[in-house]
Amino acid sequence: MTDMDGWVAFVGAGPGDEGLLTTRAVRLLGDAALVVAEPEVADRVRLLLRPDAQVVEPSDVAGTVRTLLQTARAGLLAVRLYPGDPLLSGAAAEVQACAKAKARFEIVPGVPAVTGVPAYAGIALTGDAPGELRVIHASEASQVSYGPGTLVVLRAETAPQDLGKMLIAAGWPDATPFAITWDGTTTDQQTVVTTLGRIGPDLKAAGVTVATTRGGAIAVIGEAAAAKSRFSWYETKPLFGWRVLVPRTREQASSVSDRLREYGAVPEEVPTIAVEPPRTPQQMERAIKGLVTGRYQWVAFTSTNAVKAVREKLEEYGLDARAFAGVKVAAVGEQTSAALLDFGIRPDLVPDGQQSAEGLADAWPPYDDLLDPINRVLLPRADIATETLVARLTDLGWEAEDVTAYRTVRAAPPPAPIREAIKGGGFDAVLFTSSSTVRNLVGIAGKPHAVTVIGVIGPQTAKTANDFGLRVDVTSSKPSVTALVDALAEFGAAQRDAAAEAGEPLRRPSERRRGGRRRIR
């Protein structure tokens, strides 16, 4: 039994990739009132925490346990977060102290670096080669005799060349395969495969020095290290390590960023447009009343922001998706359609071709006074929307009511480091999803550097980019953000293949900076 209502969880955060957290760990972090962790570990999970969760750094064992127990005695959950696995990261003393205090506690294992990092490097620790698997600290290398199997060395970042010399002195052949991975399971991961006798020159040839590496490293010695090229899957992603700017509204950027991460990129979301309510709400209030009373035959949504504005207005009046009963709904494209589905509405019309106001107009049926009892269409849109769709619907016999559902204003400039990275070539690519994102990004942050790859969602956005003197490298096969990210991944894969075919080291665009603005070919 426990003498307190709260409890303590000792949780493993894994070796670096936040996607390696267990579902139990995610749940506990979301419920925790207190998280005790080193700053670099806490930063990985900060988005999972409650807004009111307290995050503190650990002190000595006694001080850390005292902090954990104070929260538990208040009837709350305290999480002690460790890199990798708790019991492989020194948690035993703190666990023992909590047990001695008769506190309720739980241990949630995490993926240990000793297995997670080699897996992300494509190294099978227990492959076809016979022999045992041994794990040591780098300081113990001189005491490890040669033998068949695989040797994993922790904290190998301090002096890799000296590590090789110690193993050779202990009887290991200098031709023994050696692989070392820095910053494992993160998008900064870098693996070099060599042999014990060539660690120094091969690291130099790969451009690896104390100045170019930041995090910890794990080394794998034995035939398993030589087989890396057969199983490499992480560092070979087409956009691995690319820093990609996503200039959109923050709400719209998440789907783009998620897909970029799947390809190994590091997305940076920079809002260029801020969405605000209309200055006068009366128009929207009349539109919602008309929607409920059956004034409209159709409602046409040309953006996710329009869906959000109408949804919020309905909820303000205590209404939900049932207000659309008997009304047909159109969506301009896949993202707007997804926003409607999230609200519980399946659109009746989504254009197959161009996902734009023009594409929606091309797919729109003409008004038929025998089939359509009402000829009115509600268009909740931005204050700066063009009149193209209204004009086309009018030509088709419909009466379009254009209502300002929200206003779009230029967002505030991003922080100085982001602006410097944009203009100085710190980004590998920028993805423009509309003409307005081109205009607004240039307006608040300046033009992207000449080496930055420019990706656009369609011809109109490409034309705007050209008007600003930017050269377009990637254009999506269809006007959707998914297709745009896929097209950038194809571009990155082609660059990787070309470098491999030429026998040259692969460099990201940001690593090939050169002077001058990007000019149209």
Side-chain angles (χ1 to χ4, degrees):
M1 297 294 291
T2 176
D3 61 356
M4 57 189 74
D5 296 322
W7 53 302
V8 179
F10 297 91
V11 176
D17 183 351
E18 61 270 21
L20 295 180
L21 281 166
T22 64
T23 54
R24 181 62 176 164
V26 172
R27 179 179 174 184
L28 292 175
L29 287 166
D31 291 339
L34 169 73
V35 175
V36 180
E38 299 290 350
E40 62 272 17
V41 181
D43 286 345
R44 291 190 228 155
V45 302
R46 205 168 290 276
L47 293 178
L48 301 173
L49 306 182
R50 289 166 23 181
D52 61 343
Q54 184 183 7
V55 180
V56 301
E57 293 186 46
S59 55
D60 56 22
V61 172
T64 298
V65 171
R66 186 164 51 250
T67 300
L68 294 168
L69 293 180
Q70 284 174 351
T71 298
R73 289 194 177 100
L76 302 170
L77 169 61
V79 168
R80 175 67 168 100
L81 190 65
Y82 295 86
D85 182 88
L87 295 182
L88 291 177
S89 302
E94 293 174 4
V95 173
Q96 186 175 2
C98 282
K100 186 176 179 180
K102 296 186 175 1
R104 177 187 166 200
F105 68 90
E106 174 181 348
I107 300 173
V108 181
V111 175
V114 69
T115 57
V117 171
Y120 268 56
I123 298 173
L125 295 179
T126 55
D128 299 330
E132 60 184 351
L133 172 63
R134 292 180 284 177
V135 181
I136 66 166
H137 190 277
S139 61
E140 304 168 318
S142 61
Q143 305 166 27
V144 182
S145 59
Y146 172 71
T150 304
L151 179 67
V152 180
V153 183
L154 306 177
R155 298 305 304 269
E157 71 276 3
T158 51
Q161 192 168 0
D162 291 343
L163 176 61
K165 291 177 181 178
M166 285 191 287
L167 289 171
I168 291 173
W172 290 71
D174 59 2
T176 304
F178 175 95
I180 182 167
T181 302
W182 278 268
D183 298 306
T185 79
T186 75
T187 49
D188 290 322
Q189 178 174 307
Q190 183 176 13
T191 302
V192 177
V193 180
T194 178
T195 61
L196 291 179
R198 287 194 53 82
I199 294 176
D202 284 351
L203 289 181
K204 183 178 180 180
V208 177
T209 65
V210 175
T212 61
T213 57
R214 294 182 298 280
I218 287 181
V220 178
I221 298 99
E223 292 304 318
K228 174 192 179 297
S229 60
R230 288 186 291 160
F231 301 111
S232 182
W233 65 275
Y234 187 57
E235 291 174 57
T236 55
K237 288 189 174 187
L239 299 176
F240 183 77
W242 281 42
R243 189 183 180 195
V244 180
L245 184 69
V246 184
R248 310 190 71 201
T249 64
R250 197 165 293 280
E251 293 83 359
Q252 295 171 323
S254 59
S255 60
V256 182
S257 296
D258 290 344
R259 197 163 187 87
L260 283 168
R261 290 188 188 98
E262 291 176 9
Y263 286 116
V266 183
E268 185 93 42
E269 299 175 6
V270 175
T272 57
I273 299 172
V275 177
E276 297 180 357
R279 287 192 175 88
T280 54
Q282 289 83 0
Q283 242 192 346
M284 270 289 283
E285 290 170 358
R286 286 195 298 270
I288 296 301
K289 181 179 179 182
L291 178 64
V292 175
T293 57
R295 176 176 174 80
Y296 304 108
Q297 176 82 349
W298 282 89
V299 180
F301 291 98
T302 56
S303 71
T304 57
N305 287 323
V307 177
K308 183 173 181 284
V310 171
R311 180 174 181 172
E312 288 177 349
K313 202 67 177 176
L314 284 170
E315 291 172 347
E316 183 182 319
Y317 292 125
L319 301 172
D320 55 27
R322 287 172 291 186
F324 286 84
V327 180
K328 293 182 180 180
V329 177
V332 74
E334 62 180 32
Q335 299 299 312
T336 306
S337 180
L340 285 166
L341 288 170
D342 185 61
F343 189 28
I345 300 169
R346 185 174 296 277
D348 301 279
L349 176 64
V350 181
D352 293 328
Q354 186 179 1
Q355 297 187 358
S356 64
E358 291 81 2
L360 185 58
D362 290 339
W364 203 280
Y367 172 68
D368 187 326
D369 57 4
L370 296 178
L371 299 176
D372 301 307
I374 304 169
N375 75 334
R376 279 183 291 274
V377 179
L378 173 61
L379 286 177
R381 298 194 294 164
D383 57 330
I384 58 171
T386 64
E387 301 300 317
T388 303
L389 183 57
V390 174
R392 294 284 298 278
L393 290 179
T394 302
D395 291 342
L396 290 169
W398 296 94
E399 180 186 336
E401 291 191 4
D402 205 3
V403 174
T404 299
Y406 61 94
R407 292 185 299 124
T408 56
V409 297
R410 182 175 290 177
I418 298 295
R419 298 198 303 272
E420 292 166 6
I422 291 171
K423 293 183 285 188
F427 285 100
D428 297 290
V430 178
L431 295 183
F432 290 115
T433 55
S434 67
S435 292
S436 61
T437 56
V438 179
R439 290 189 292 268
N440 289 334
L441 181 71
V442 173
I444 65 176
K447 293 183 183 179
H449 190 275
V451 299
T452 307
V453 174
I454 304 295
V456 299
I457 203 167
Q460 186 59 48
T461 307
K463 180 180 182 303
T464 304
N466 289 339
D467 290 344
F468 278 91
L470 300 176
R471 187 184 71 220
V472 174
D473 302 288
V474 176
T475 304
S476 58
S477 59
K478 59 180 182 178
S480 78
V481 294
T482 300
L484 176 56
V485 176
D486 292 347
L488 180 65
E490 290 176 10
F491 180 89
Q495 284 199 325
R496 180 180 295 276
D497 293 343
E501 187 176 341
E504 299 174 352
L506 179 67
R507 291 188 176 88
R508 299 192 305 274
S510 61
E511 296 172 326
R512 299 193 299 270
R513 302 182 191 187
R514 58 182 182 273
R517 292 287 185 194
R518 173 176 292 268
R519 293 186 173 84
I520 304 171
R521 285 190 179 95

